[in-house]
Amino acid sequence: MKILVCISNVPDTTSKINFTADNKEFDKNGVQYVINPWDEYALTRAIELKEAKGGTVTVLNVGEADAEPNIRKALAIGADDAIRVNAKPVDAFFVAQQIAAVAKENNYDMILMGKESIDYNGSQVHGMVGEILGIPSVVPAFKLDMVDDSTARLEREIEGGKEVVEVKLPFVASAQQPMSEPRIPNMRGIMTARTKPLKVVEPTGAEAKAEYVNYSKPEKKGGVKMIDPENAGELITLLRNEAKVL
């Protein structure tokens, strides 16, 4: 079984975020990058399936050279090899086109990724990849098991409960917790990751469909107003006229 796991290189949530060029570009200076946490659920589950059933796990990243330390981390966690599409991930459609091109060339049985990236929270790529390839897309899944060599069973949240889906290979799925428990690479994994294959390929000619006009930070939180617990009328007035939640 050949599994492709797509990972994004995203800013750590503790990083200080700034923008440049009149708020049209993200400022990378001083920003620490990590593997997208949602993608780590997909990566760990793929490795667990490989350990249980055999096969290979390939990590794919659409990004520039600065993503390679985190690609190597994914290899240290347990992936067998990696591919980096040498392009800036300009929008979801562009990224999906690159993933689909790699998938077509290598005939993977399963394509996994996180339900979204924590920087843009778009939750679009998995559905686009499935549509481009003409294969099922199950999103977002919190459980993934193999029924037999050609069928997988996934569970996903729906309004008011959960849905159990059985799907034939190949398919696309996005992961959310608690699909797996993300792993920390051990010293042996870190050492072996240095020699595992990391192939760099050029992007296809696909064009982005969206353009980010500008970025802005959330407004700073205002001061806290303390209200006497006996003065319910004042609280209602503030909620209605200032907070505008009533």
Side-chain angles (χ1 to χ4, degrees), residues 104-239:
K104 286 178 182 177
E105 184 177 340
N106 295 281
N107 296 315
Y108 295 100
D109 299 299
M110 193 183 302
I111 303 171
L112 303 180
M113 63 191 76
K115 71 171 186 175
E116 61 188 359
S117 61
I118 63 169
D119 49 3
Y120 287 96
N121 301 104
S123 194
Q124 301 177 71
V125 173
H126 33 68
M128 292 180 178
V129 172
E131 185 67 21
I132 294 168
L133 295 175
I135 60 177
S137 176
V138 183
V139 298
F142 63 83
K143 189 173 183 180
L144 167 60
D145 294 299
M146 294 302 298
V147 176
D148 53 42
D149 291 341
S150 62
T151 307
R153 180 182 292 117
L154 300 98
E155 295 183 17
R156 65 191 192 102
E157 291 182 352
I158 59 173
E159 186 174 354
K162 67 178 182 179
E163 182 178 63
V164 180
V165 179
E166 288 193 359
V167 60
K168 293 289 185 182
L169 279 57
F171 67 90
V172 180
S174 68
Q176 67 175 35
Q177 65 187 116
M179 181 176 280
S180 62
E181 183 66 33
R183 298 181 179 183
I184 298 173
N186 56 34
M187 185 55 65
R188 181 180 178 184
I190 294 170
M191 297 300 291
T192 57
R194 297 177 181 177
T195 58
K196 288 181 177 180
L198 196 172
K199 182 181 179 182
V200 179
V201 300
E202 293 305 312
T204 68
E207 295 183 359
K209 299 296 184 181
E211 177 185 358
Y212 294 98
V213 178
N214 60 59
Y215 298 92
S216 62
K217 294 182 180 181
E219 293 184 6
K220 292 183 178 180
K221 294 182 179 180
V224 176
K225 292 187 176 181
M226 306 299 292
I227 308 298
D228 190 312
E230 303 297 326
N231 194 352
E234 182 183 359
L235 175 61
I236 293 171
T237 299
L238 291 171
L239 290 173

Side-chain angles (χ1 to χ4, degrees), residues 57-108:
V57 174
T58 299
V59 168
L60 172 62
N61 170 260
V62 180
E64 297 171 301
D66 57 3
E68 291 195 2
N70 280 323
I71 298 174
R72 289 290 178 191
K73 180 181 177 182
L75 293 171
I77 291 171
D80 298 288
D81 63 304
I83 300 170
R84 179 174 68 83
V85 178
N86 187 31
K88 184 178 179 179
V90 287
D91 81 340
F93 181 75
F94 177 83
V95 171
Q97 289 277 23
Q98 308 310 315
I99 295 171
V102 171
K104 286 178 182 177
E105 184 177 340
N106 295 281
N107 296 315
Y108 295 100

